[in-house]
Amino acid sequence: MPPMHPWRERLGRWFTPLARGCPFSPNSITLTALALNVVAAWLLYSRNFLLAILFLAIGGLADAFDGVVARVQGKSTRFGDFLDHFADRLSDLLLISGWLLGNRVRIEITVAVLLVVMLQGYIGTQLEATWRERNYDSIGRGEFVLALVVLPLISHILNANRWQLVAFGGLVIVEWLSIVLLIAAVLGIVQRFLLALRLERTE
């Protein structure tokens, strides 16, 4: 899976003209993005998958926009960075919980996915805290947000065609997709551990 950081850079360039004249503070945009993600999580839990995708997409764009506004307007603060990280972790937890519970994924897989996804996010934040360096080369939140746009679309297709109970090897399709998400998160953790070792050697 290719890293998402080229798209992060493109969004930064595209948002810069709009960010210059934005009347809202970066923190208010962060909280707006969080609110949109809370709504999206509820829609996922309620199985309104297509509407959830709309809120997810807008929330994702808002989450990217707050950092651009902070940089362009010279309003970057430590509290703003802390708030952004908190909102990201909370959004991740709510969104993936909404999708897993909305699809009735069995509890063992649900717990495993939540633990590993949260651990991956924590390790990324700890890397930045320890080495004061952000790195987007590993599988991270960009890929996670993309997955949370694709997965609800698949869920909608499965439900619309009444395929949600089709099983292979004892697992339904959404449970296999959950395992793929779990494997991707584990790979992201491994990548970040290797990055930590590399940063340690270069000091």
Side-chain angles (χ1 to χ4, degrees):
M1 181 182 295
M4 294 292 290
H5 61 276
W7 286 104
R8 183 183 297 271
E9 295 168 1
R10 291 189 185 102
L11 282 174
R13 291 197 301 269
W14 296 339
F15 280 158
T16 293
L18 185 61
R20 290 195 181 101
C22 179
F24 304 109
S25 70
N27 290 349
S28 67
I29 299 171
T30 298
L31 293 175
T32 299
L34 175 60
L36 289 166
N37 285 326
V38 169
V39 174
W42 174 253
L43 290 170
L44 289 171
Y45 177 73
S46 304
R47 304 170 74 87
N48 294 310
F49 296 115
L50 292 183
L51 189 56
I53 292 172
L54 176 62
F55 277 86
L56 267 165
I58 298 173
L61 291 174
D63 182 52
F65 188 56
D66 60 359
V68 180
V69 171
R71 289 191 296 274
V72 169
Q73 296 188 8
K75 295 180 179 178
S76 298
T77 64
R78 290 185 179 181
F79 177 78
D81 188 55
F82 167 80
L83 180 64
D84 185 61
H85 278 85
F86 167 77
D88 285 349
R89 298 290 80 75
L90 181 57
S91 293
D92 292 349
L93 178 61
L94 293 174
L95 290 169
I96 192 59
S97 296
W99 183 79
L100 291 164
L101 296 174
N103 281 284
R104 313 296 189 263
V105 174
R106 66 186 65 190
I107 189 64
E108 302 94 325
I109 298 175
T110 295
V111 171
V113 171
L114 290 176
L115 287 174
V116 174
V117 167
M118 290 301 98
L119 181 59
Q120 182 195 20
Y122 166 76
I123 291 174
T125 302
Q126 188 59 43
L127 266 174
E128 182 182 343
T130 302
W131 278 280
R132 301 290 190 267
E133 178 177 322
R134 289 193 179 186
N135 185 286
Y136 301 109
D137 291 337
S138 62
I139 295 174
R141 193 164 191 270
E143 289 77 11
F144 177 79
V145 172
L146 177 61
L148 281 176
V149 172
V150 174
L151 292 175
L153 180 59
I154 296 174
S155 295
H156 172 75
I157 293 171
L158 293 174
N159 289 344
N161 292 279
R162 298 184 179 180
W163 295 336
Q164 64 268 36
L165 297 180
V166 175
F168 304 94
L171 300 178
V172 297
I173 296 173
V174 291
E175 290 175 337
W176 282 114
L177 292 172
S178 300
I179 291 174
V180 171
L181 185 62
L182 175 67
I183 293 171
V186 169
L187 179 58
I189 290 172
V190 172
Q191 288 177 321
R192 288 174 174 180
F193 263 101
L194 293 175
L195 174 61
L197 290 172
R198 188 164 69 248
L199 290 171
E200 177 72 14
R201 294 192 193 101
T202 56
E203 285 186 339

